[in-house]
């Protein structure tokens, strides 16, 4: 059960960060706050924050560079109006 709770918390954190990226709070090339800072913000351990970063990385929204940080990419997240292609 605990892993399900962690997974849902990771999804929640990923959705909040995704919304902040869509809103323009984080621009391409910006470094997200460190995992420990975000863990404190959300009142969780570093595990669900790391999982959230992994989710966003798999979507191509961020890129994680060991020792350097996690950076927003040029790829727009799903939910961003600019993500939708006009035919």
């Amino acid at each position: 059960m605990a892993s399900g709770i962690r997974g849902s918390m990771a999804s929640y954190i990923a959705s909040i960060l995704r919304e902040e990226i869509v809103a323009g709070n984080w621009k391409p090339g910006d470094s997200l706050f460190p995992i420990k800072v975000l863990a404190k913000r959300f009142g969780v351990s570093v595990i669900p924050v790391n999982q959230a970063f992994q989710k966003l990385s798999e979507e191509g929204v961020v890129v994680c560079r060991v020792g350097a940080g996690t950076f927003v990419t040029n790829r727009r997240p799903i939910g961003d109006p600019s993500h939708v292609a006009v035919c």
Side-chain angles (χ1 to χ4, degrees):
M1 183 73 162
S3 65
I5 292 170
R6 255 190 261 129
S8 63
M9 182 54 74
S11 295
Y12 170 75
I13 293 168
S15 70
I16 295 296
L17 295 175
R18 192 180 301 107
E19 288 173 14
E20 291 177 356
I21 292 168
V22 169
N25 298 354
W26 305 96
K27 306 232 184 296
D30 284 352
S31 175
L32 295 179
F33 292 130
I35 289 176
K36 289 182 181 181
V37 172
L38 289 171
K40 186 173 181 178
R41 172 185 169 188
F42 290 105
V44 297
S45 72
V46 297
I47 294 170
V49 177
N50 189 39
Q51 291 171 335
F53 279 0
Q54 288 175 348
K55 286 177 183 282
L56 294 173
S57 179
E58 289 169 5
E59 294 172 14
V61 176
V62 300
V63 61
C64 301
R65 296 187 187 125
V66 177
T70 302
F71 300 87
V72 178
T73 65
N74 288 328
R75 183 170 177 190
R76 303 311 303 155
I78 295 172
D80 183 338
S82 67
H83 185 272
V84 179
V86 178
C87 298

